[in-house]
Amino acid sequence: MCDIILHHYPFSSFSEKVRTALGFKGLAWHSVEIAGLPPRPLLSPLTGGYRRAPVLQVGADIYCDTNAILPALDCLHPRTTLCPAGSEGVAQGLGFAWERQMWVPTIGVLVHYIGEHIPPEFIKDRKEGYLMIDISKEAMAPQFEQHVQFVRAQLGWLKQALKARPFLFGEAPSAADLACWQTLWLLRKNCPPEVDALLGLAPLVPWYDRIAAIGHGTPTAMTAEQAFEVARAAQPVPVTHLSPDGDPGGLKAGCPVTVIPDDNARVSVSGTLVAAGEHEIVIHRKDAQAGDLHLHFPRVGFDVQAA
Ligand SMILES: N[C@@H](CCC(=O)N[C@@H](CS)C(=O)NCC(=O)O)C(=O)O
């Protein structure tokens, strides 16, 4: 049975990370293509306003952020893990740190090459509702050299690590490989081939190609209306892997809370705490149309507060 629904858009590289994770696990999934910028009227009620992409849905359980989505996929389909033995913790931590550090410099390199083709409404949205910086080619140009230096320095580590093995932790790809890879995918997919020389990418190409060859599994198109109906008809799955009083900050189940990204797109999502731990928090929301929902967020990258 195929019960995984991914809300995503083609040019989203964080979505590409999840599409590739689905491919690695050989899964069939439902693909809901969302707009590249809000409004996303049938997704927002499911996420309580969380606005980034991608979002994974399984019935009335909604997973926000790839740092919640990949562990959820590992939990649902553990046979092919994204944390090869011995990499647990390191794979997630490295992936998180990489994306955090690399995102803005990567966009700096991207807009140097293709900035003139980005529509003004997209630049405006990213400035006012997402990154809170102007990502137009002109605005980012003064930092271009600095961004290239930064990206090359990070890539230096990656090249060193991959010299001795096909993937960061050995013979199989991990969550960290996918995190590092998605930032390069954004550049290599959109920029002219000279970006390889600019960033000294040649030694990474075999690794890059190995991950690109994984593919996306078996997606089947689904409409946003159908996905909404799936959520409405389902009940959230009872949480058994986290404790109702497991919140590291001492908040208890039943407590009204807000969850908000601590980096960008800082929309506050409110709900009632269901269960929590060091890695994940689950909150309950009742939407007038969609009904009861469980929203899953990672702890890294989010602030949780009593409302
Ligand atoms: N930490 C988040 C980052 C997600 C992210 O920034 N995604 C980009 C698309 S690649 C985004 O949401 N852009 C703004 C938007 O689509 O609304 C994750 O791992 O899911």
Side-chain angles (χ1 to χ4, degrees):
M1 198 185 74
C2 157
D3 49 10
I4 292 175
I5 302 170
L6 185 68
H7 300 257
H8 65 126
Y9 52 90
F11 64 88
S12 155
S13 60
F14 282 89
S15 300
E16 182 67 8
K17 175 184 173 186
V18 176
R19 292 187 289 257
T20 305
L22 291 162
F24 175 60
K25 288 174 177 288
L27 296 174
W29 50 283
H30 292 293
S31 163
V32 179
E33 194 172 318
I34 58 171
L37 68 168
R40 297 163 180 150
L42 289 174
L43 180 56
S44 302
L46 300 184
T47 64
Y50 172 80
R51 74 149 274 178
R52 297 188 301 203
V55 170
L56 187 96
Q57 175 188 350
V58 182
D61 281 79
I62 310 292
Y63 297 87
C64 300
D65 194 291
T66 62
N67 294 298
I69 294 173
L70 263 53
L73 290 177
D74 259 357
C75 207
L76 291 166
H77 298 277
R79 208 154 44 91
T80 42
T81 175
L82 288 158
C83 295
S87 77
E88 300 88 349
V90 188
Q92 293 97 328
L94 175 62
F96 175 77
W98 181 275
E99 288 171 341
R100 209 21 102 89
Q101 295 296 318
M102 286 283 276
W103 195 225
V104 170
T106 300
I107 291 170
V109 176
L110 179 74
V111 301
H112 170 79
Y113 286 111
I114 65 154
E116 61 273 32
H117 304 300
I118 302 178
E121 63 273 18
F122 188 90
I123 305 272
K124 183 172 185 298
D125 171 68
R126 273 17 185 191
K127 182 171 177 195
E128 292 173 6
Y130 175 51
L131 292 171
M132 311 318 275
I133 57 168
D134 185 344
I135 61 159
S136 65
K137 185 169 180 163
E138 311 76 75
M140 295 203 96
Q143 284 172 284
F144 175 63
E145 298 299 336
Q146 208 183 330
H147 286 149
V148 171
Q149 272 187 46
F150 186 94
V151 171
R152 285 200 68 131
Q154 297 270 130
L155 291 174
W157 283 342
L158 199 56
K159 287 183 216 167
Q160 237 177 348
L162 288 166
K163 238 185 212 158
R165 48 190 87 82
F167 297 102
L168 286 169
F169 296 98
E171 297 300 316
S174 68
D177 288 273
L178 297 189
C180 299
W181 179 82
Q182 66 96 349
T183 59
L184 292 182
W185 178 85
L186 187 68
L187 295 174
R188 294 191 87 223
K189 183 96 183 146
N190 295 296
C191 301
E194 68 210 57
V195 73
D196 279 13
L198 177 82
L199 300 176
L201 290 179
L204 292 173
V205 169
W207 165 82
Y208 181 93
D209 288 345
R210 274 193 287 279
I211 299 180
I214 292 172
H216 295 159
T218 313
T220 311
M222 180 182 253
T223 63
E225 288 77 9
Q226 288 170 322
F228 195 86
E229 179 52 27
V230 168
R232 200 195 57 73
Q235 275 300 312
V237 174
V239 181
T240 52
H241 65 292
L242 296 169
S243 157
D245 56 5
D247 175 55
L251 301 174
K252 301 279 185 266
C255 172
V257 293
T258 58
V259 182
I260 178 166
D262 66 12
D263 53 347
N264 54 46
R266 304 199 70 228
V267 180
S268 171
V269 179
S270 6
T272 306
L273 196 147
V274 175
E278 287 173 346
H279 301 298
E280 182 185 353
I281 177 163
V282 184
I283 66 171
H284 170 260
R285 284 181 57 80
K286 195 172 180 76
D287 178 75
Q289 266 79 47
D292 292 308
L293 301 164
H294 276 178
L295 274 57
H296 302 247
F297 295 92
R299 296 311 291 244
V300 289
F302 287 79
D303 289 331
V304 175
Q305 282 178 20

